[in-house]
Amino acid sequence: RIRPMATPNEKLAAALEALRAVQAYGRVATRSRDLSRTVRELLTKHGFLQEVIKGWYIPARPGADPGKSTAWYTSYWDFCRDYLTERFGDQWALKPEQSLVLQVGNAPDRQPP
């Protein structure tokens, strides 16, 4: 929770702590409801979150060039897992070939198909 009278650095530190708490559960994709609007907007403004689709965010590196896809490529498979699990529970699957590649750990660059 961000204190109203906190300094800008204290607000950012509190927002980063809130993000860390969400990520502590092993999630990469962050739903808008996982963070308060104030925290989400602060992290997005400072480049720590990037919106992928409405209401879903991934971590990003501050200072990265806008339009660069590094954050997306790094988070792609984890985002897919988190988003699809949230949306469909356990009623979803990858095509068999892709599932096997991921299961044997043969995706070192974790690039999307």
Side-chain angles (χ1 to χ4, degrees):
R1 184 162 166 92
I2 297 177
R3 295 184 353 234
M5 298 303 290
T7 67
N9 285 341
E10 290 172 332
K11 289 179 182 180
L12 183 57
L16 287 167
E17 180 58 33
L19 179 60
R20 188 202 61 76
V22 170
Q23 292 174 334
Y25 293 102
R27 296 194 59 167
V28 170
T30 303
R31 300 167 298 191
S32 60
R33 70 176 185 229
D34 292 336
L35 299 168
S36 73
R37 179 178 174 189
T38 303
V39 166
R40 200 173 55 250
E41 288 177 355
L42 189 61
L43 292 173
T44 301
K45 175 184 172 187
H46 287 281
F48 288 98
L49 278 181
Q50 175 182 334
E51 189 171 35
V52 176
I53 58 176
K54 186 170 177 64
W56 286 86
Y57 298 81
I58 57 172
R61 193 184 80 195
D65 292 332
K68 291 286 185 179
S69 55
T70 303
W72 176 240
Y73 282 122
T74 303
S75 303
Y76 180 81
W77 290 115
D78 294 319
F79 174 83
C80 289
R81 178 200 62 217
D82 294 345
Y83 176 76
L84 293 170
T85 299
E86 176 68 23
R87 182 124 191 248
F88 302 110
D90 62 358
Q91 301 299 309
W92 66 273
L94 297 172
K95 63 183 182 177
E97 297 84 4
Q98 191 62 50
S99 182
L100 286 172
V101 167
L102 291 172
Q103 287 298 318
V104 298
N106 194 15
D109 59 3
R110 300 180 63 82
Q111 295 289 319

